[in-house]
Amino acid sequence: MLRMASSFPEEVLEHVFSFIQSDADRNSISMVCKSWYEIERWCRRRIFVGNCYAVSPRMVIRRFPDVRSIELKGKPHFADFNLVPEGWGGYVDPWISAMAMAYPWLEEIRLKRMVVTDESLELIAKSFKNFKALVLSSCEGFSTDGLAAIAANCRNLRELDLRESDVDDLSGHWLSHFPDTYTSLVSLDISCLGSEMSFTALERLVGRCPNLRSLRLNRTVPIEKLANLLRQAPQLVELGTGAYSAELRPEVFSNLAGALSGCKELKSLSGFWEAVPAYLPAVYSICPGLTSLNLSYAAIQSPHLIKLLSHCPKLQRLWVLDYIEDVGLEALAASCKDLRELRVFPSDPFVAEPNVSLTEQGLVSVSGGCPKLHSVLYFCRQMSNAALTTIARNRPNFTCFRLCIIEPRTPDYLTLGPLDAGFGAIVEHCKDLRRLSVSGLLTDRAFEYIGTYAKKLEMLSLAFAGDSDLGLHHVLSGCENLRKLEIRDCPFGDKALLANAAKLETMRSLWMSSCMVSYGACKLLGQKMPRLNVEVIDERGPPDTRPESCPVEKLYIYRSVAGPRFDMPGFVWTMDEDSSALRLS
Amino acid sequence: MSPPLLGGEEEGHSSLVASSPTIDCISQNGSGLKEWNYLGLSDCSSVDSSAVSSLSEENKNNLNFKATELRLGLPGSQSPEREPELSLLGSSKLDEKQLFPLLPSKDGICSSSQKNVVLGNKRGFSDTMDGFSEVKTSVYGEGNWRYTAGSDPDSPQSVAQGKINMMLPSRASATQPAIMKEVPAKGLQERSRATNGVNHNHVGASNNSPPAAKTQVVGWPPIRSFRKNSLATTSKNNEEVDGKPSPGALFIKVSMDGAPYLRKVDLRTYATYQELSSALEKMFSCFTIGQCGSHGAPGKEKMSESKLRDLLHGSEYVLTYEDKDGDWMLVGDVPWEMFIDSCKKLKIMKGSDAIGLGSKSNDWVPGRGNCFHRKLEN
């Protein structure tokens, strides 16, 4: 049998493959023939595991023996909103232990929503001689002691990014563990830490790392000290300030303004904790080059925001609080024609009455004025079908549309009807929509639209919506590219789920909480679908102490080739093939 | 785009009988909800029609599980032309006929009557919907399935009758309430607890007086903890906040000596130490009887609350907290508001470990060791 592959030396193929970075393409390559599979697996350097329980460390290592960079995600997205009880899982330790032995040349570890321990951090620090990048996004379970181990031992560390992690912050002293000989820092994000750290140590660190491009401080770094840091690192491209407030003192202001103006490469600003308007103008000098601005922790009112934004014609990404109001968003639409991504967060989400004048109009303005806008996260208190339709017509290039109307089940404020037609317009016009979050009053019809039109949709988030299983059925049967579906407080039960069980194997995961899926259905699904892990999460106690028709509190279903996991806490049960769901693991 | 649904629907639901969002693609009979042919397969085979009539006469108990014999998610099931043999896994592993046989169940749901495997998911649905139409009118008439206010706050397990879970088949409506009792949706549970101190939002009945703060639905609006905590800190610093109730949830980690993992509680859902204490008892009861950590063997008795309370109030365990200064104190000495303000972490310690724990009380309490702000030696 003549095989073309054998006419090419492996090295040539490997070289060709090295230009292919995308996982999807790499996966395709590996399926061409056995020898390509072999060659490819030996030279794949970067692995992405979207669900750490979908595969086991051993399986990954067995197939890909020489990996340099790994990205793992653990808990489901709704864990961000406290819907996943503590102790559910997502432990990275088994991965680190396995990789410590198998991948001595590992350079990068990126984790999201995983539980990390100090022991693991210490193991990382000791095991990987060429370790370069540690990104812990929304992780927890470790302390600054673990960080000290990383700082002390990773001579080649370039990136240390703790974004939004929950760190047991024992003291700021860990930063001093970077030895004086250490100079390779490129990116540091410690914005989530609470403790004060030795400013001198920080300053010296920044000063001796000439390649530092991205520095995100925590709120304990006072504004008066910011200028000193900036003068040590004028090559910064991304800056996250510390606390951005102080009594207005002219010398502090001019010092800061001067230091900022020296940072000619600065493209991204964030931080601005407790920002006061008086110090905002200090950044004006770098605004013309700014592409990304995160003011979402700054309680600054719209007039100041408008002024600031008028200086930023190249802005591509803006995160801001709803203090910007409709008038501010109108100004944004006028000044920032290059805007790609907008997120508007609520300043006071827990009161029923609006505290600011931000309505659907703001979003309409931006969608009309910013031709490149494709990603939106918008919290507001009122919406109408008319506005959504206008937005959809204005901006058919949306890829990510997340609308959160703060009060659940809020109807169209003009017609008092459901917002089905509005979201229908969104999915109909925005043919490239990949991510959608809906809110407000929605009937099954909205899901009919989604199932009919949202063919490229990959992630969908639903809450307090729909009338019946029909809604869920529309989504599961219609959205061909759906990978992640997360649902809370919707009247969806067994039927749609069971009728679309096959679909679940084509998806990464499904989360359903406070819905109406019965324990019996979960068991059935677990029995019939061996390649799915059907996890019932119920803090009321073992589900078999209640009738089978009783709905489970929470349900997490994900495809896996690793089989059921064994690290579950007492309130999680995997529905297994041999129907005894409570079999001891 | 089709015109909007009937206006004037009550918030929170649309009565299926009235508005039936999929009316466009279902054949509509005169009497409201029938034939949910939403898959577009209009040619129900003759086999089905007989099944239909027999089914509609059957005990409605079947209907829920009837759907389970639906054929699992056949990829081809949506268009009538596709082959029915596309089994869900594309393999011969599963015999279609046996897919999802109806579960025998103690509720008397029969398991054998529907053997005809028709590629018609709609079949099950139409029957189900038939059965539902009665349920739905009554349920929807009552109001929002979730925001029911009828629940007794003290027993989160019992839920307003008949209000939720209308997707379950209508056992005779009389029995429905009984079943509903078993089914507290988590959101409801939260709300029941939350009614202790806080308003329902305007949809449900409001129990208590307190002002603007809405019922804290867990995880809603969807804002990450990091941001929520920052919001809370910012607003505390903001003068305008004075007089307004504190926003947001306050999630505190609770650990227990000997427990394999910790829990998080939202202190703002409680108004008194007693509520906190009961909630913690419930949450950690499984640990004290050794049930959690691995899966308890089925059939193990749950420890009664009173036994656990004795355990907790006896010298076995005490509740302690770490305050802003990093000191470990006994819970219960300071006014509740002051406590939530300063509490950073909670810990359920063995009584013996807590001897000498700091107490903010000015009184000298015999037997506690006269410790005023004494730090706990860890």
Side-chain angles (χ1 to χ4, degrees):
Chain A
M1 205 186 309
L2 177 70
R3 295 213 301 219
M4 269 205 32
S6 58
S7 60
F8 265 137
E10 271 186 29
E11 294 80 10
V12 174
L13 280 173
E14 231 182 88
H15 183 68
V16 173
F17 293 171
S18 70
F19 292 99
I20 317 259
Q21 299 298 340
S22 115
D23 284 338
D25 291 340
R26 280 258 173 181
N27 292 343
S28 305
I29 287 175
S30 66
M31 306 230 283
V32 166
C33 64
K34 277 196 179 134
S35 66
W36 279 37
Y37 176 93
E38 280 299 309
I39 297 168
E40 194 282 320
R41 78 182 187 92
W42 278 94
C43 69
R44 190 172 320 198
R45 300 278 172 260
R46 178 180 298 261
I47 302 280
F48 169 76
V49 179
N51 173 5
C52 64
Y53 290 120
V55 69
S56 72
R58 200 170 51 85
M59 287 168 154
V60 172
I61 291 168
R62 195 171 60 206
R63 177 167 172 191
F64 301 111
D66 192 5
V67 164
R68 306 289 163 91
S69 164
I70 186 159
E71 181 173 352
L72 294 169
K73 294 191 180 179
K75 300 186 206 174
H77 173 237
F78 273 178
D80 285 350
F81 316 127
N82 289 301
L83 289 177
V84 179
E86 290 290 300
W88 171 84
Y91 304 105
V92 81
D93 287 13
W95 288 86
I96 306 292
S97 308
M99 293 191 300
M101 296 192 292
Y103 296 149
W105 299 112
L106 191 67
E107 294 175 3
E108 300 181 350
I109 296 176
R110 291 167 211 276
L111 306 176
K112 188 163 188 181
R113 281 186 220 107
M114 296 199 75
V115 179
V116 183
T117 60
D118 287 345
E119 288 72 30
S120 275
L121 291 176
E122 281 153 24
L123 194 54
I124 291 173
K126 284 198 292 258
S127 314
F128 307 117
K129 298 300 169 213
N130 202 22
F131 196 66
K132 294 200 174 116
L134 182 64
V135 177
L136 302 176
S137 174
S138 302
C139 294
E140 57 170 359
F142 61 103
S143 78
T144 41
D145 286 350
L147 296 178
I150 298 281
N153 294 292
C154 299
R155 299 299 157 94
N156 294 311
L157 192 70
R158 302 218 183 122
E159 188 177 346
L160 179 60
D161 183 343
L162 305 175
R163 55 181 90 151
E164 297 197 5
S165 289
D166 185 3
V167 186
D168 191 4
D169 197 344
L170 304 171
S171 87
H173 189 62
W174 68 275
L175 198 71
S176 316
H177 285 249
F178 282 110
D180 289 337
T181 48
Y182 169 74
T183 58
S184 42
L185 195 62
V186 173
S187 170
L188 181 68
D189 182 346
I190 48 173
S191 51
C192 63
L193 296 180
S195 290
E196 209 169 306
M197 44 198 78
S198 152
F199 188 75
T200 340
L202 181 59
E203 212 180 351
R204 285 206 322 257
L205 176 64
V206 168
R208 66 178 183 269
C209 295
N211 297 319
L212 190 65
R213 290 277 171 276
S214 173
L215 178 64
R216 295 200 160 98
L217 305 166
N218 71 350
R219 60 208 303 172
T220 66
V221 177
I223 195 172
E224 295 91 345
K225 302 250 173 90
L226 193 51
N228 301 18
L229 280 177
L230 291 175
R231 288 193 211 279
Q232 302 278 350
Q235 74 284 4
L236 276 182
V237 174
E238 296 177 341
L239 171 68
T241 73
Y244 205 74
S245 76
E247 274 178 26
L248 181 56
R249 298 206 306 277
E251 72 277 9
V252 173
F253 180 92
S254 57
N255 197 11
L256 179 59
L260 277 166
S261 64
C263 298
K264 308 262 185 248
E265 313 287 326
L266 213 45
K267 294 262 180 301
S268 163
L269 281 180
S270 59
F272 295 105
W273 316 99
E274 295 140 38
V276 293
Y279 278 97
L280 276 187
V283 307
Y284 283 0
S285 58
I286 45 130
C287 282
L290 214 54
T291 56
S292 169
L293 184 55
N294 182 352
L295 290 166
S296 61
Y297 296 101
I300 304 266
Q301 304 298 323
S302 62
H304 307 286
L305 291 173
I306 293 175
K307 187 102 194 297
L308 176 59
L309 292 170
S310 66
H311 286 85
C312 307
K314 292 212 185 130
L315 201 62
Q316 295 179 13
R317 178 195 305 159
L318 176 65
W319 291 20
V320 74
L321 284 173
D322 58 7
Y323 292 123
I324 193 171
E325 297 188 325
D326 290 340
V327 56
L329 290 173
E330 209 177 308
L332 175 69
S335 17
C336 304
K337 292 301 185 188
D338 210 17
L339 195 69
R340 319 274 167 106
E341 178 187 330
L342 173 67
R343 295 194 192 187
V344 179
F345 295 96
S347 52
D348 203 352
F350 301 107
V351 296
E353 292 311 307
N355 57 323
V356 292
S357 174
L358 179 101
T359 68
E360 80 283 6
Q361 193 47 48
L363 188 55
V364 173
S365 307
V366 182
S367 70
C370 302
K372 297 200 187 151
L373 185 68
H374 68 84
S375 172
V376 152
L377 168 61
Y378 198 78
F379 284 80
C380 61
R381 285 183 163 85
Q382 69 182 42
M383 187 50 65
S384 67
N385 285 306
L388 281 171
T389 307
T390 306
I391 291 166
R393 292 212 170 104
N394 282 345
R395 212 46 37 236
N397 47 320
F398 274 128
T399 56
C400 170
F401 189 81
R402 295 194 278 162
L403 179 66
C404 178
I405 304 168
I406 288 178
E407 178 65 32
R409 297 202 172 84
T410 302
D412 177 330
Y413 76 98
L414 295 172
T415 67
L416 299 183
L419 288 167
D420 300 339
F423 279 106
I426 294 281
V427 291
E428 191 186 356
H429 291 275
C430 305
K431 303 202 189 304
D432 289 324
L433 197 66
R434 290 199 296 269
R435 184 166 180 186
L436 177 65
S437 302
V438 299
S439 57
L441 180 64
L442 295 168
T443 72
D444 287 344
R445 166 155 277 175
F447 301 118
E448 188 191 342
Y449 292 144
I450 292 174
T452 306
Y453 293 109
K455 293 306 182 189
K456 297 239 181 104
L457 194 66
E458 296 178 5
M459 182 168 178
L460 178 62
S461 309
L462 311 176
F464 308 107
D467 306 312
S468 74
D469 272 48
L470 212 46
L472 180 58
H473 177 80
H474 284 311
V475 168
L476 288 176
S477 57
C479 298
E480 289 153 9
N481 281 300
L482 196 62
R483 290 190 299 116
K484 289 182 277 182
L485 179 57
E486 45 186 24
I487 302 174
R488 62 162 299 175
D489 293 274
C490 294
F492 300 146
D494 300 343
K495 288 179 298 307
L497 194 60
L498 295 175
N500 290 282
K503 172 73 174 175
L504 300 176
E505 273 195 6
T506 68
M507 292 166 53
R508 182 189 295 175
S509 65
L510 166 65
W511 169 276
M512 291 179 77
S513 57
S514 305
C515 296
M516 289 153 169
V517 181
S518 72
Y519 175 52
C522 295
K523 283 208 298 189
L524 204 49
L525 208 53
Q527 282 168 30
K528 296 297 177 188
M529 308 288 292
R531 290 190 300 221
L532 290 181
N533 279 358
V534 178
E535 292 189 8
V536 168
I537 300 165
D538 208 316
E539 293 179 277
R540 298 169 293 177
D544 66 351
T545 59
R546 291 178 293 276
E548 283 206 352
S549 55
C550 187
V552 300
E553 275 182 353
K554 300 171 187 188
L555 175 62
Y556 186 49
I557 301 175
Y558 54 91
R559 64 181 174 189
S560 173
V561 293
R565 57 185 178 114
F566 300 116
D567 60 356
M568 293 176 291
F571 51 84
V572 178
W573 293 267
T574 298
M575 304 292 107
D576 247 328
E577 279 144 57
D578 66 356
S579 70
S580 156
L582 294 183
R583 180 181 59 149
L584 283 175
S585 36
Chain B
M1 229 10 112
S2 333
L5 294 173
L6 307 176
E9 285 162 338
E10 291 160 66
E11 181 188 353
H13 59 271
S14 54
S15 164
L16 273 173
V17 176
S19 76
S20 203
T22 57
I23 275 197
D24 280 354
C25 54
I26 64 171
S27 44
Q28 196 173 352
N29 296 5
S31 52
L33 197 58
K34 301 288 186 271
E35 293 303 334
W36 281 69
N37 196 4
Y38 61 86
L39 289 178
L41 297 173
S42 50
D43 43 19
C44 307
S45 67
S46 53
V47 181
D48 306 341
S49 37
S50 55
V52 177
S53 43
S54 63
L55 279 171
S56 53
E57 281 143 24
E58 268 170 5
N59 189 331
K60 305 265 195 299
N61 289 347
N62 295 341
L63 293 177
N64 186 37
F65 291 98
K66 174 163 207 339
T68 65
E69 83 160 337
L70 280 185
R71 320 44 201 267
L72 283 187
L74 309 187
S77 65
Q78 281 151 30
S79 58
E81 313 85 56
R82 299 247 196 127
E83 299 293 17
E85 94 265 354
L86 280 175
S87 73
L88 62 108
L89 296 174
S91 75
S92 48
K93 242 174 26 165
L94 290 168
D95 180 2
E96 236 181 325
K97 281 196 171 37
Q98 274 150 22
L99 284 180
F100 290 50
L102 297 178
L103 292 176
S105 129
K106 6 187 187 210
D107 306 285
I109 293 175
C110 95
S111 59
S112 55
S113 53
Q114 292 83 23
K115 286 290 193 242
N116 46 329
V117 178
V118 169
L119 179 62
N121 295 0
K122 66 213 184 292
R123 175 96 330 274
F125 273 79
S126 72
D127 297 316
T128 315
M129 291 308 140
D130 281 344
F132 277 10
S133 52
E134 293 137 4
V135 181
K136 291 221 157 59
T137 35
S138 61
V139 170
Y140 278 118
E142 304 280 5
N144 188 311
W145 70 276
R146 213 183 35 84
Y147 281 98
T148 157
S151 51
D152 173 2
D154 292 332
S155 48
Q157 299 299 330
S158 81
V159 152
Q161 331 316 16
K163 301 256 164 109
I164 64 171
N165 216 345
M166 68 284 195
M167 286 322 291
L168 276 191
S170 59
R171 308 176 182 236
S173 347
T175 59
Q176 200 173 11
I179 292 166
M180 294 310 136
K181 270 198 159 64
E182 329 269 352
V183 182
K186 179 73 172 172
L188 260 163
Q189 214 172 13
E190 291 296 334
R191 200 146 305 100
S192 315
R193 258 192 279 150
T195 59
N196 290 327
V198 190
N199 251 350
H200 273 302
N201 64 37
H202 61 275
V203 177
S206 69
N207 286 358
N208 305 351
S209 53
K214 287 154 49 68
T215 306
Q216 299 296 340
V217 178
V218 173
W220 190 267
I223 301 173
R224 287 191 178 174
S225 322
F226 184 73
R227 184 171 294 282
K228 256 201 275 208
N229 294 341
S230 299
L231 256 182
T233 318
T234 313
S235 59
K236 267 194 203 142
N237 300 341
N238 217 333
E239 274 136 16
E240 288 144 345
V241 176
D242 284 354
K244 267 204 233 164
S246 308
L250 187 58
F251 279 93
I252 299 285
K253 290 189 182 171
V254 188
S255 58
M256 175 162 164
D257 278 344
Y261 49 86
L262 46 75
R263 312 301 286 269
K264 262 190 191 167
V265 291
D266 176 5
L267 287 185
R268 291 206 202 281
T269 57
Y270 312 112
T272 65
Y273 284 115
Q274 180 54 43
E275 286 167 23
L276 174 63
S277 174
S278 336
L280 289 178
E281 280 161 23
K282 284 205 184 89
M283 225 182 265
F284 284 91
S285 59
C286 58
F287 293 134
T288 51
I289 53 175
Q291 189 174 348
C292 297
S294 58
H295 298 316
K300 195 154 185 182
E301 298 292 313
K302 250 167 92 158
M303 178 177 276
S304 71
E305 261 184 54
S306 54
K307 266 213 253 170
L308 175 67
R309 198 173 298 125
D310 292 342
L311 255 190
L312 282 185
H313 289 179
S315 53
E316 273 262 8
Y317 291 100
V318 290
L319 187 57
T320 64
Y321 72 103
E322 184 183 15
D323 70 4
K324 279 193 189 143
D325 306 321
D327 302 333
W328 284 94
M329 320 292 285
L330 281 173
V331 165
D333 294 329
V334 303
W336 175 256
E337 288 303 326
M338 201 187 300
F339 166 67
I340 11 184
D341 233 7
S342 59
C343 172
K344 291 272 162 281
K345 267 189 218 176
L346 281 168
K347 190 166 181 174
I348 302 176
M349 283 187 197
K350 288 217 162 59
S352 43
D353 294 340
I355 289 177
L357 201 59
S359 151
K360 286 204 158 84
S361 161
N362 277 326
D363 300 333
W364 182 78
V365 177
R368 240 190 204 178
N370 192 8
C371 40
F372 189 116
H373 281 275
R374 181 144 41 110
K375 294 185 176 96
L376 174 69
E377 310 293 342
N378 264 340

